[in-house]
């Protein structure tokens, strides 16, 4: 029996961003979060602050609960 690996926060955020048809620079412009920070989150590099996730989810017009934290 094969078990799929759970989606990481970064993978989930990337999927939601792509569903919204936004590039990382687009999301950066909409959210006020630096391109490098978004890239780091999507690639699971470093810690992510809740305040940053709130800005990103607001720009994506989703609830923070959609990230399944």
């Amino acid at each position: 029996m094969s078990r799929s690996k759970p989606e990481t926060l970064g993978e989930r955020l990337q999927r939601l961003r792509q569903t919204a048809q936004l590039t990382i620079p687009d999301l950066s412009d909409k959210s006020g979060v630096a391109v490098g920070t978004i890239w780091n989150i999507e690639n699971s590099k470093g810690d992510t602050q809740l305040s940053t996730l709130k800005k990103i989810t607001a720009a994506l017009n989703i609830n923070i609960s959609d990230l399944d934290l």
Side-chain angles (χ1 to χ4, degrees), residues 10 16 19 21 25 31 46 56 64 68:
L16 291 166
T19 298
Q21 298 182 325
S31 66
I56 291 171
I64 199 158
D68 293 328

Side-chain angles (χ1 to χ4, degrees), residues 6-69:
E7 191 177 42
T8 66
L9 169 62
E11 291 166 339
R12 196 170 308 115
L13 178 60
Q14 182 178 42
R15 178 177 48 77
L16 291 166
R17 175 182 58 77
Q18 291 172 339
T19 298
Q21 298 182 325
L22 294 172
T23 64
I24 290 177
D26 292 338
L27 182 55
S28 174
D29 289 342
K30 285 187 75 163
S31 66
V33 175
V35 167
T37 300
I38 296 170
W39 186 91
N40 285 339
I41 295 168
E42 288 190 2
N43 290 281
S44 300
K45 306 288 183 192
D47 294 326
T48 305
Q49 294 184 357
L50 184 58
S51 59
T52 301
L53 291 177
K54 286 180 179 179
K55 290 177 186 177
I56 291 171
T57 56
L60 290 171
N61 294 316
I62 61 172
N63 293 317
I64 199 158
S65 61
D66 293 332
L67 294 177
D68 293 328
L69 298 177

